Amino acid sequence: MQVPAPFEYERATSVDHAIGLLERLGNTSRLIAGGHSLLPMMKLRLVNLEYLIDINDLHDELGYVRLARGEIRVGAMTRHRELLESDPLAEAFPIFRDAERVIADPVVRNRGTLGGSLCQADPSEDLSAVCTTLDASCVIRGSAGDRVVTMAEFYRGPYETAIEDNEMLIEIRIPVRAGGSSAYEKVERRAGDWAVVSCGAALWMDGDLISDARVGLAAVGPNTTGIPAISDALRGKAPSEELFEQAGAIAGENCSPQNDMRGSADYKRHLANELTRRALRRAVARIGGQAR
Amino acid sequence: MSMQVSMTVNGEQVTEEIEGRTLLVHFLRDQLRLTGTHWGCDTSNCGTCVVWMDGEPVKSCTVLAAMAGGREVRTVEDLEQDGVLDPIQQGFMECHGVQCGFCTPGMMMTARALLDRNPDPTDREIREAISGQICRCTGYATIVRSVQWAAAAEAAFEGRS
């Protein structure tokens, strides 16, 4: 039987209350949202705490997808199922629905949250790759107020983020730019598993030329990685199979996969290459309205 | 580290002493003696522990009993009402959806939730709904058929077909 080590359970009734508790309990405490990453880690005694602060009552406050000027704001407690079912989100960023369809399973998606996924900072985590691809930023709140960090600043290494012990992630902001689309491709060993490799692509067109493009890879490095060299290679060019091939090659070269039970490093490089091509192809087709 | 928790389980208010670390599945089985909910992989993979929390299927091995405080929990024991089986249960009997029976409680709770949201699911939608659950007898074809049987029975009962 797997059970966590003993801890004291606290339930936060508001964001301010949660931050107050974190302020008081410091690094002996952790927030729990859906709990589908944290509880398994606690059962394996990889995480041991004195206090667990349940923030599920903050869903009313932090569960939302809001259209703001020039960006979409998603509350950190928004659950996977809500992200999957959000039409405004899928319309602006089809990559979200692509990814949510292949994250865990429907029952797990009833509980897991966007904020929890990002804070887990697992190198194979799909929404981290999505947010990296979309150049999202993270709003982190502490008793002194809010600060906003980029995804690159947010990740400090596997399972490590920029969030201090007395802070919490409250919102993800994703810039909306006209003329673009996005897609997500994932290879997994079985339905609902972690990625062997997955790849997000977002692309914006100005007439016949690519004005900007971003690719984010998961499971091929210490954190999900955006690859600036691909953006440089694609900008100002017309989309073509040769160009996607070039981008795929850059992805294969610019990642650092490891041999593990999910596959060899060589196989993962091959996947990074192939999935980059597929994701870019699909994103471009979506701009032209040729694919869903 | 003990604490008190109150929640509604199958329509009844319960208040119990628990440890903060008590998982919902053990609370239901060991403290309330509702052993219809099974305890399987412990790692939120197999889905035999699925119960409803506030109307949504959840894996009770990965929810703390404390987190269910103040919420409404429904277990497989609540499917049968006044001696009448839920059409889902009937379907599992009619179509041999039960082999060894270990995955059955979770399968039925997920299937009930599916039909409540989508009374006429396609084969694919049923498979998607139970994709977080494992039948180690590999009896998926009969489970899908059982859910279809229930959907058809409910449609007939409501005069939809």
Side-chain angles (χ1 to χ4, degrees):
Chain A
M1 175 158 113
Q2 294 180 14
V3 258
F7 57 82
E8 204 78 53
Y9 172 88
E10 301 275 352
R11 190 182 279 208
T13 52
S14 67
V15 172
D16 288 347
H17 182 213
I19 291 168
L21 286 167
L22 289 170
E23 196 69 55
R24 182 157 62 82
L25 304 170
N27 67 0
T28 62
S29 67
R30 277 284 276 280
L31 302 179
I32 186 164
H36 278 56
S37 298
L38 184 55
L39 278 175
M41 303 265 287
M42 291 172 70
K43 287 179 176 188
L44 294 169
R45 311 289 167 111
L46 293 169
V47 175
N48 292 300
L49 310 158
E50 283 177 41
Y51 298 91
L52 194 64
I53 304 168
D54 181 356
I55 56 171
N56 280 283
D57 284 354
L58 312 191
H59 180 260
D60 287 348
E61 203 175 340
L62 294 183
Y64 55 82
V65 175
R66 277 183 204 140
L67 307 175
R69 183 190 287 209
E71 62 186 13
I72 287 188
R73 298 178 170 193
V74 187
M77 278 298 295
T78 311
R79 299 195 194 274
H80 287 301
R81 181 173 131 192
E82 296 167 321
L83 295 170
L84 175 65
E85 292 176 355
S86 167
D87 288 331
L89 195 59
E91 210 165 287
F93 307 114
I95 186 175
F96 256 101
R97 192 163 280 172
D98 290 349
E100 283 294 355
R101 282 197 175 118
V102 292
I103 292 175
D105 61 67
V107 181
V108 169
R109 291 198 294 259
N110 282 340
R111 294 294 295 163
T113 64
L114 172 60
S117 300
L118 298 193
C119 289
Q120 177 71 6
D122 189 298
S124 311
E125 206 284 308
D126 292 298
L127 290 185
S128 306
V130 168
C131 289
T132 298
T133 302
L134 294 177
D135 200 15
S137 47
C138 299
V139 183
I140 299 171
R141 183 167 295 173
S143 53
D146 290 356
R147 63 194 179 98
V148 182
V149 301
T150 64
M151 291 306 295
E153 292 161 343
F154 184 74
Y155 288 120
R156 295 274 171 84
Y159 309 103
E160 282 181 52
T161 70
I163 300 176
E164 301 292 339
D165 291 335
N166 56 0
E167 293 180 318
M168 70 183 280
L169 176 63
I170 58 160
E171 187 179 81
I172 316 307
R173 295 179 181 167
I174 312 165
V176 179
R177 292 186 271 166
S181 195
S182 56
Y184 197 72
E185 297 281 347
K186 175 175 175 176
V187 167
E188 53 200 346
R189 292 172 305 171
R190 57 184 169 85
D193 199 1
W194 295 94
V196 178
V197 175
S198 52
C199 174
L203 211 129
W204 294 266
M205 301 285 291
D206 185 5
D208 293 335
L209 301 179
I210 297 168
S211 57
D212 198 8
R214 294 178 59 88
V215 165
L217 296 172
V220 288
N223 285 126
T224 56
T225 12
I227 301 177
I230 295 184
S231 308
D232 295 341
L234 296 181
R235 264 186 225 116
K237 310 263 174 57
S240 68
E241 273 306 307
E242 294 71 42
L243 192 64
F244 300 155
E245 220 168 276
Q246 199 188 329
I250 297 172
E253 286 157 19
N254 285 268
C255 59
S256 48
Q258 289 185 336
N259 295 314
D260 62 18
M261 80 263 189
R262 293 190 201 135
S264 69
D266 282 348
Y267 173 54
K268 292 180 189 180
R269 279 186 199 282
H270 166 76
L271 284 181
N273 180 328
E274 179 60 31
L275 296 185
T276 297
R277 297 185 205 191
R278 289 185 196 172
L280 286 169
R281 201 182 289 139
R282 193 137 68 103
V284 169
R286 279 173 170 163
I287 296 174
Q290 297 152 15
R292 300 189 62 213
Chain B
M1 303 274 179
S2 114
M3 58 179 284
Q4 208 175 54
V5 69
S6 296
M7 67 184 82
T8 309
V9 179
N10 299 336
E12 278 179 42
Q13 187 72 21
V14 297
T15 301
E16 292 275 328
E17 286 290 316
I18 57 163
E19 275 191 86
R21 61 176 173 164
T22 305
L23 296 162
L24 183 57
V25 65
H26 300 311
F27 174 74
L28 293 170
R29 285 178 55 85
D30 302 342
Q31 277 184 257
L32 303 187
R33 307 305 293 170
L34 292 170
T35 52
T37 300
H38 287 173
W39 164 51
C41 72
D42 236 344
T43 55
S44 69
N45 281 292
C46 82
T48 193
C49 66
V50 168
V51 301
W52 291 11
M53 192 161 76
D54 287 346
E56 282 187 341
V58 301
K59 294 182 174 177
S60 62
C61 75
T62 310
V63 175
L64 295 169
M67 293 168 85
R71 307 195 192 281
E72 281 180 28
V73 173
R74 188 182 187 206
T75 70
V76 69
E77 282 89 349
D78 197 50
L79 286 181
E80 172 253 297
Q81 294 286 330
D82 303 324
V84 180
L85 293 181
D86 189 281
I88 289 284
Q89 293 171 305
Q90 200 72 39
F92 271 68
M93 281 171 61
E94 295 289 337
C95 301
H96 200 58
V98 180
Q99 290 188 43
C100 83
F102 192 76
C103 71
T104 309
M107 289 288 183
M108 293 201 299
M109 293 311 283
T110 302
R112 183 65 266 160
L114 170 69
L115 293 191
D116 285 352
R117 287 189 83 185
N118 178 3
D120 186 22
T122 62
D123 191 279
R124 199 184 153 71
E125 284 166 337
I126 296 170
R127 286 175 184 274
E128 163 74 11
I130 61 166
S131 62
Q133 280 154 277
I134 295 172
C135 166
R136 256 334 38 148
C137 308
T138 71
Y140 297 104
T142 51
I143 291 171
V144 171
R145 236 174 272 149
S146 304
V147 180
Q148 285 165 337
W149 189 97
E154 287 174 9
F157 182 73
E158 289 163 19
R160 282 188 277 117
S161 69

